[in-house]
Amino acid sequence: MKLSVPMPLRLVLLVLGTTAFYMYLGQIVPQKEAHPPPPVLISAEMTTEDLVAVGAELASGKGQCLVGCHTVGQSGPLRYPDLDGIGARAATQIEELSGLEYLAQSLYEPAAFIVPGFADGMQAIDQPPISLSEDEMKAVIAWLQSLGGTPTVTLDTDLGY
Amino acid sequence: MTRNRILFGIGVLAFISVIVTVRLGGFLVDNEYRQPDRQVAAQEEQGEAELTPRQQGIVDEQAADEAEARARPYEEAEYRAVPFVGSRVTVWVLAQLHLLFAAFVLAVPLFAFIIEFVGYVKKEERYNKLAYEFTKLLSVSFSMTATFGAFLTFGLIILYPKFTNYLMHIFSPTFLPYVLLFFLEALFLYSYYYGWGKFGPKMHLFLGFMLNIVGTAIMFIANAWLTFMMSPGRRDDVDGDGVPDFVSAVSESGALLSLRDAFFNFTWMPINIHRIIANVAFGGSIAAAYAAFRYLQAKTDEEKAHFDWMGYVGNFVAIIAFLPLPFAGYYLAAEIYAFSQTLGIQMMGGTFSWLFVIQAALIGNLFLGANYYLWLGMGRMEGGVHFQKFIKWLLIAIALCFAVWATPRYAISSVSEIAAMGGSSHPQLSYLGQMSAKNTAVNILILSTYMSFLLYRRTGRQSVHPHRQLLTRAQAIVFSSAAALVIFYGVYGYYVDAAIRIRFAIPQVYSVLAALVVITVIDLPLYRNAAQSGETKWGRMPAVSQYALIFIALSFTWLMGLMGYVRSGLRQEWHVYGVILDTSPDAYTPTLGFATQVVSVTVLIFFGLLGVVFWLSSLGGKKDWEPKPVADGRDQLEGGQAT
């Protein structure tokens, strides 16, 4: 005996089945809720080591450095330069700039110097939507200096911006 | 007659019973138990009854509430909540439903006008009839669009009062033109629909033209509001150094600096272009789904032939618009990157990157569905067998491209699988997850689908052009060259730096676009006045082909819902990106699983409402109600009352 499914029922099944299939695809991919980055507290008595820790937190959170842009210790086709060793490399990138000055310039004026082989694209992270404060910028620079170099930045350091 | 009276009597009794029950219930609820105390009864008579402790409590509570309300100062609410669902999901669903109906209402007049124009030029009545059939769907859909537009507006005012007030502060000068245009659209739409056959052809075409102009203008205004939220600024070479600068439309605190910059912002034109093309593709697919619905219901061969043809045209419109859509998508994505790398990276490499794997599955299904329908359509014509041998190769090409496009760069893996692979990306397959492979796959998909369409167009026809062999070879060379260029840049992209690789998408896109244009330009004279080797048998399509059309419409709708989510969700915790922060409890990006649930529910509601639109539209073709004639020759009205 041939089982005949009425046309309206077929339509309903098609609509429900297709929608359920696409919804299922949405369930099997990695699930992550993205919350706004929590506020990072920087107090006046923080040492350079403290700033390095805060900077690392900012890099993967509010600062968005490691959210799809830069990497640390990766090779192959990269979107933006890998930051491994930047603490040592910074002083040699531009002849007339010290390591600290180079790092400050790359955060405040990222278009001023583009690492060969990469495209211009980074935005100044003291501006919206990232809007890091001056102290937060110092923390990020301290963290960058720690990648292959010796961090020197304190909250009293004048970045020149 | 007696039976009707009994039924009427039962109805009256039931109505009285309901009234009595309600009144009795109300009486019992309103009258509490009182002690049978003579003194109380006497006091009640004198109007000095003492309140029971419970009554006193209620009175005190009311007095306290009133005093508190009077003492409370007026405060403007920033957000209001919707129980269970939440305010964000409420506005999300309302906006998406409004947008889906609006897209349909904007798209249908566009191709109805073109079809009517073709009929006018060719002097063929069937085109006119087809255009009218499409337009029938507009009336109810227009009401749905307006209804959901009103729901959305009230939803925003009630749930996001402060932010809505801010948008009004920025865009209030655009509101009056918007309303006037909306009024004009209603005027042109109804005169276009109801004036069919009442006006001369030129006048009617003018109405259709104006309807499209006004509809597009409305969309452009609304697009300014939503794109401002994503990119509140314009690109212009302010300092004259030849390099475009970012010109913010608002100050850091959000105060308006320039309405012009807010309106003509970074993503306004890309969204305009993307939406026009996507609306036509979506509208064509929905109209094809309507034709499929009517085809499946059709009783006569004539009806089947008509709706088969309508489904074919609707699908044709959808596919033709769908082919350039990825290019419009690239343009939009490029402008998003140009406005903000952070926003662009969030989209393609951050929170939303997995969404594009789902998008790949949807687009792959759309290509498969569209090609499948075209291949089945070859069966309409005698001589179709000749080309069917190519179908398996096209299917292989499409399936391979689909697989490449849906391959993520980072696989969903268990800890042991990650350990075995040496990382979260597969050592070989992850190469297919990169943009070089994906750009190549989508361009080959487009070329393959275009090839399916060319084969369909040639089925049952033979060119009589004197240079047919030369022209056909020229087409083959153009096609192969475009495919070779696409593959070359796809492979070469792995050997160059990122900065150069990104630019390879441009020659890939241009080579495919050029191939589509050149091949079409050659094909038109090549098959003009072609000899027919067999008759086209409209209405002979198997039922499965019609379900394929409905599947395509469903996939389009779901895709629009998903991409609407990513466009809006990209702003993350910002109402206006970089300017106005969202401080509501919903200021976070939900999981993709949750987002797809909301999209699915929206699609189901839309299709439920679409069923109503289809049903109401199909009533137009039914015979008018007529009174039943009785034996003595007089008409009899329903209910037994004779005239």
Side-chain angles (χ1 to χ4, degrees), chain B residues 326-353:
Chain B
F327 306 135
Y330 280 136
Y331 174 40
L332 174 59
E335 284 299 295
I336 290 173
Y337 267 99
F339 166 67
S340 163
Q341 287 279 318
T342 316
L343 209 57
I345 288 166
Q346 279 296 344
M347 178 172 68
M348 300 304 293
T351 318
F352 295 94
S353 58

Side-chain angles (χ1 to χ4, degrees), chain B residues 294-354:
Chain B
R294 297 296 306 273
Y295 181 94
L296 293 168
Q297 282 184 322
K299 299 280 188 291
T300 65
D301 287 347
E302 192 189 351
E303 273 185 322
K304 282 196 168 188
H306 176 67
F307 288 113
D308 184 15
W309 188 49
M310 185 181 179
Y312 165 75
V313 174
N315 188 56
F316 174 77
V317 168
I319 298 307
I320 290 297
F322 185 51
L323 291 182
L325 198 54
F327 306 135
Y330 280 136
Y331 174 40
L332 174 59
E335 284 299 295
I336 290 173
Y337 267 99
F339 166 67
S340 163
Q341 287 279 318
T342 316
L343 209 57
I345 288 166
Q346 279 296 344
M347 178 172 68
M348 300 304 293
T351 318
F352 295 94
S353 58
W354 278 97

